[in-house]
Structure formats: structure tokens, C-alpha cells
Amino acid sequence: MTAVNGKTKVFGLLGNPIEHTSSPFIHQLFYDELGYNGIYNPFFVPEGELENAILGMKGLSIKGLNVTVPYKVEVMEFLDRVDAMAMHIGACNTIVREGEDFVGYNTDWIGLKMACDHESIPIEGKDVVIIGAGGSARAIAFMCQRESANSITILNRTVEKAEAIAAKVKAVNQDVEIRTGGLDELDLVLEGSVAIQTTSLGMHPKVDRCPIEDDEFYSKVDFIVDIIYNPKETLFMKKGSRHGAKTMNGLGMLYFQAVKAFELWTGLKLDKGQLQRGLTKLRQYVYNENQG
Ligand code: NAP
């Protein structure tokens, strides 16, 4: 680890709460791999103080920031520009200083895409079922559209929210095949699908919960992605595994959204070996510490 000195570049995370974030650990992995003189600090932003926080960060020449709950949407109004994909998604988790400007990006969608690539889970040409219709689902629906999934099906407890996402995606690409329904509308699920679970159901400590119980669903899907990473294997993943699906949890998404943010901030890229070493260390850190 490089000692902090006058040349240290400062990055950070704006959120509320921020005590449980793994982001400083992840970014330190990149600094260590590349001998980069950087520091990543979580910044607690009290309610009503986001604009002041952004102005302060600008004035202090901060090079880059992540933004987390509850500020991913609100922050957009305080930025100089927002990139097209973040605009479509309607949320921004990464701010990059470009000259004098703070520019907003969304690296959650690309984090999931990079994680899928890393685990050889295909999106292009596949029928993708997204479970849930919250902020992450919207980012993932746009990712599927951008990566040319054959079709997108969004199933959610509140069907109107799934319909709203579908309408946003359609507005960008009229030709996209997109369907919506409730969590029990399993006739919408096509054989050989990739299923991406984006609700909070099954997250620690309520690990016995799962958005879809019916075996019919699991018998139709070949790939199961759960963007939850605690527990390491969710009930949704266990059910998929039992039916022979290949599974992946959300730790890779978390890791690769940070990789992309680091690339945007520094212009540096980690090679394959460095990326793999970092991911292995993150797995050890998260699962040894949180799960004994
Ligand atoms: P969000 O915007 O609040 O959306 C929550 C979704 O969960 C909605 O679709 C909601 O359905 C559904 N839901 C909640 N409780 C439910 C219940 N009892 N039964 C059925 N559906 C239920 O949340 P988000 O920001 O998208 O995040 C969702 C999850 O993704 C969280 O667990 C978060 O930790 C995880 N996440 C992981 C990463 C990563 O890097 N791995 C990144 C972002 C988020 P309704 O619309 O019907 O309310």
C-alpha cells in the first residue's frame, strides 16, 4: 500500500448509510495491483446535504466518486452532464471529473455484463427473464437491450412497475421484444432462458425467501443470476442448481462495477490476471468475514 502523500488521488463513496460498504476494500485491491497512489473514502452524506457534498467535492478537486443509496437518482440534478445510458436508466452510481465538469455514469449495468462475460453466461441472442422491477432491474433491462438479448421478460409483484420499465426500453428501441407479467405468469418464460433475480428476497438474514417457488420456472431456465451476494448461494440459486442451471451470485457485479469506475477515473486497465486475483481476494474477504 502506498503511503498517502501530496500526490495521492482521492476517490470516494457518497451514501447514507455507508458503514457496511466493501468499496474501499475493492478499490484498494486495484491500487495495490497497479501501484497506484490513490485512496478511497466512504463519505456519509446527511439528508438534505447532497448538493453541498457535490459542490465540496468539486471544490476539492476530487477525481471520482461513487454514489449509493439513497442518492443515485437525486444526484443527477447536481451534475454538469449525464451519459446516455445513465440517463436511460435514470440513475447514476459513478461521477467522473472531466476537465472542470462532474459527469454522471452508471456502471451497475456494465458490472453485471462484465461479470456474466467472466463466468461465460451469455446475454446476446438469449431470452432473458428479469425478476423484479426496481432500480437494478431497470439498469439490467437496458443492458439486455444494448447487448442484443433475443427477448426480455420482466416479472414483478407490481406489474405496473415492470410495464413502466418495458415502456422506457421500448422508447429507446422499438424493435426490442419485451414482455411483462406477475411473478406467477410462468407461461411467459421461454425454454433455455437466462434468469436474473433483482429483488431483495433471499438476502441475509431472510435467506429462506425466494420470489418464485414453482419448479416449472426452474425447469425452463439454463442460467440463473442472482444479484444478491449475501448469502453466497441464495435459495433462488439453489433451486436453479437442483434443476441443472449454471448459477452466479451478485459479487461479480459489485466487483466489476468498481472495475469500470476505476477505469473511467484513471484511464488505467487491469489485465486478466490482476482482475482474477482481485476477485479471488474479494471473495475471501466477503465470505470469510461475513459467513464464518
Ligand atoms: P428496489 O429498487 O427497491 O427494487 C426492489 C424490487 O424487489 C422490486 O421489484 C420489488 O417489487 C421487489 N420486492 C421487494 N420485496 C418483495 C416481496 N416481498 N415480494 C416480491 N417482490 C419484492 O431495489 P434495487 O435497488 O433494485 O435492489 C434490489 C436488490 O439488488 C437488493 O438486494 C440489492 O442489495 C441488490 N443489488 C446488488 C448489486 C450488486 O452489485 N450485486 C447492485 C445493486 C443492487 P415491487 O415493485 O412489487 O415492490
Side-chain angles (χ1 to χ4, degrees):
M1 190 192 290
T2 320
V4 175
N5 57 32
K7 293 182 180 164
T8 303
K9 300 286 184 280
V10 181
F11 305 91
L13 172 68
L14 307 181
N16 178 356
I18 33 92
E19 287 87 356
H20 300 294
T21 178
S22 301
S23 291
F25 180 87
I26 299 175
H27 284 272
Q28 190 62 50
L29 292 170
F30 308 153
Y31 306 158
D32 291 347
E33 282 294 342
L34 295 174
Y36 185 80
N37 186 358
I39 186 168
Y40 185 103
N41 195 74
F43 294 104
F44 173 80
V45 180
E47 201 183 332
E49 290 295 333
L50 183 61
E51 184 172 15
N52 282 337
I54 295 289
L55 288 172
M57 293 294 164
K58 241 183 163 178
L60 291 170
S61 304
I62 301 290
K63 275 185 81 69
L65 292 161
N66 284 135
V67 183
T68 188
V69 178
Y71 297 127
K72 285 186 184 187
V73 177
E74 185 188 347
V75 74
M76 296 170 77
E77 66 188 89
F78 305 123
L79 303 178
D80 299 293
R81 278 177 285 130
V82 173
D83 117 296
M85 197 61 173
M87 209 61 144
H88 294 325
I89 292 166
C92 163
N93 75 324
T94 301
I95 302 172
V96 183
R97 177 183 288 276
E98 294 180 8
E100 293 306 305
D101 290 346
F102 265 8
V103 184
Y105 291 86
N106 187 304
T107 66
D108 282 334
W109 71 271
I110 202 163
L112 183 62
K113 175 63 175 73
M114 288 166 83
C116 287
D117 288 348
H118 188 262
E119 295 293 326
S120 302
I121 292 182
I123 299 293
E124 186 180 346
K126 298 297 290 183
D127 298 303
V128 181
V129 189
I130 299 171
I131 316 297
S136 315
R138 181 158 158 181
I140 291 166
F142 274 102
M143 181 275 280
C144 292
Q145 180 271 321
R146 187 179 166 126
E147 299 300 322
S148 307
N150 185 55
S151 70
I152 305 168
T153 302
I154 307 174
L155 304 181
N156 194 43
R157 177 178 61 177
T158 314
V159 180
E160 295 74 27
K161 287 195 196 166
E163 287 167 353
I165 295 179
K168 295 272 180 205
V169 176
K170 273 268 182 200
V172 170
N173 179 358
Q174 281 189 353
D175 298 332
V176 73
E177 193 185 322
I178 189 158
R179 286 177 286 270
T180 57
L183 293 171
D184 57 354
E185 290 187 58
L186 301 186
D187 51 321
L188 295 176
V189 180
L190 302 173
E191 292 285 342
S193 290
V194 178
I196 306 179
Q197 199 299 112
T198 74
T199 77
S200 45
L201 290 184
M203 197 159 74
H204 181 80
K206 296 182 178 169
V207 297
D208 58 346
R209 303 188 73 189
C210 183
I212 297 179
E213 297 289 345
D214 199 325
D215 280 350
E216 181 193 343
F217 174 81
Y218 298 95
S219 65
K220 284 183 178 176
V221 298
D222 286 354
F223 299 91
I224 288 264
V225 175
D226 198 324
I227 70 167
I228 290 173
Y229 60 87
N230 184 10
K232 189 173 178 178
E233 189 180 29
T234 61
L235 185 53
F236 186 74
M237 292 167 65
K238 282 183 186 157
K239 286 175 181 281
S241 264
R242 264 181 239 138
H243 283 86
K246 177 171 181 169
T247 67
M248 177 178 89
N249 76 11
L251 196 67
M253 177 178 175
L254 176 75
Y255 178 70
F256 284 105
Q257 63 75 28
V259 169
K260 187 64 194 175
F262 175 77
E263 288 178 8
L264 286 168
W265 293 333
T266 64
L268 299 173
K269 270 191 185 282
L270 292 116
D271 66 28
K272 251 182 143 179
Q274 290 166 330
L275 285 172
Q276 184 55 59
R277 250 196 317 275
L279 186 53
T280 303
K281 285 182 185 165
L282 177 62
R283 280 199 187 113
Q284 287 165 350
Y285 172 76
V286 171
Y287 297 124
N288 291 343
E289 208 176 77
N290 294 348
Q291 305 207 328

